[in-house]
Amino acid sequence: MERKGRTFDVLGQLGSLRRYARSLVRNADEAEDLVHDALVKAYERKSSFRHGGNLRTWLLSILHNVHIDRLRQKKSLNSRHEEAAAELETALPASQDHTVRLSQVREAFFNLPEEQREALHLVAIEDLSYQEAAAALGIPVGTLMSRIARARASLRNFEEATSKVSHLRLIEGGGNENR
């Protein structure tokens, strides 16, 4: 922040940025994340800000563009997940029990938090190394490994919980109608 003339006083614009972000995403936590990402981008591109320009308008524009990028990314991710699910459904003509079980596992996978699901998908399904997956997600390798460990633990807990459920079968002649 420049003290002389305060030409880049982003702290003075936080109220406007937060209000606009809240109106875009309608969730306080997501709005804070959006403001944070926009401020990071603004500081990275500080040199492109015209001296004497309207800082508020420039920051709101960056916030808007970050929001649009997030929407596109989310839409693309949802599309990929739907396509993967559709391929999975048509690729395995298995028995009914296997199909039901596969559906349960797929649902458990898609119920993982997005960060964990992305990390596990890249390593377990796309067969990327930890370094390659971390680079693809733009995170440190340790963070990737932590996300994968939490995802695997969650799926293991799901597996243990569902394997304890007894599978009852209806056997013909179980009633005593003839007696």
Side-chain angles (χ1 to χ4, degrees), residues 1-10 46 49-55:
M1 179 173 20
E2 297 175 14
R3 300 232 179 233
K4 236 183 205 180
R6 297 178 97 57
T7 58
F8 204 75
D9 182 19
V10 296
K46 182 179 178 181
F49 177 65
R50 284 183 305 140
H51 184 69
N54 187 332
L55 179 64

Side-chain angles (χ1 to χ4, degrees), residues 24-25 27 30 66-82 114 117-118:
L24 290 174
V25 296
N27 176 295
E30 286 183 45
V66 169
H67 174 66
I68 296 300
D69 289 345
R70 283 178 161 202
L71 289 177
R72 287 180 182 149
Q73 183 181 27
K74 188 175 183 179
K75 183 178 179 182
S76 174
L77 182 66
N78 287 340
S79 173
R80 287 193 307 270
H81 286 174
E82 288 171 6
E114 185 174 335
R117 190 175 58 245
E118 290 171 345

Side-chain angles (χ1 to χ4, degrees), residues 56-70:
R56 182 172 180 244
T57 303
W58 186 70
L59 290 172
L60 290 173
S61 174
I62 291 173
L63 182 91
H64 176 78
N65 290 336
V66 169
H67 174 66
I68 296 300
D69 289 345
R70 283 178 161 202

Side-chain angles (χ1 to χ4, degrees), residues 28-178:
D29 293 332
E30 286 183 45
E32 279 300 313
D33 290 344
L34 185 60
V35 169
H36 175 267
D37 291 349
L39 288 176
V40 167
K41 201 163 270 211
Y43 273 109
E44 288 172 351
R45 291 175 173 76
K46 182 179 178 181
S47 62
S48 70
F49 177 65
R50 284 183 305 140
H51 184 69
N54 187 332
L55 179 64
R56 182 172 180 244
T57 303
W58 186 70
L59 290 172
L60 290 173
S61 174
I62 291 173
L63 182 91
H64 176 78
N65 290 336
V66 169
H67 174 66
I68 296 300
D69 289 345
R70 283 178 161 202
L71 289 177
R72 287 180 182 149
Q73 183 181 27
K74 188 175 183 179
K75 183 178 179 182
S76 174
L77 182 66
N78 287 340
S79 173
R80 287 193 307 270
H81 286 174
E82 288 171 6
E83 288 173 12
E87 276 187 35
L88 190 59
E89 288 174 2
T90 59
L92 296 173
S95 69
Q96 184 177 2
D97 291 340
H98 184 72
T99 303
V100 168
R101 185 69 185 135
L102 186 60
S103 176
Q104 291 171 337
V105 171
R106 183 179 58 234
E107 185 176 335
F109 177 78
F110 284 128
N111 284 336
L112 289 172
E114 185 174 335
E115 303 87 27
Q116 293 176 18
R117 190 175 58 245
E118 290 171 345
L120 187 60
H121 178 91
L122 290 176
V123 171
I125 297 173
E126 299 300 328
D127 201 29
L128 296 181
S129 71
Y130 284 172
Q131 290 77 17
E132 292 170 331
L137 294 173
I139 59 174
V141 174
T143 302
L144 176 87
M145 292 171 67
S146 175
R147 289 177 183 177
I148 291 171
R150 288 191 309 254
R152 288 178 174 161
S154 179
L155 291 175
R156 230 181 340 269
N157 290 339
F158 166 78
E159 183 65 26
E160 289 171 4
T162 56
S163 67
K164 291 179 184 175
V165 175
S166 66
H167 300 292
L168 301 177
R169 293 187 203 178
L170 179 62
I171 300 174
E172 289 186 39
N176 294 326
E177 300 91 23
N178 297 336

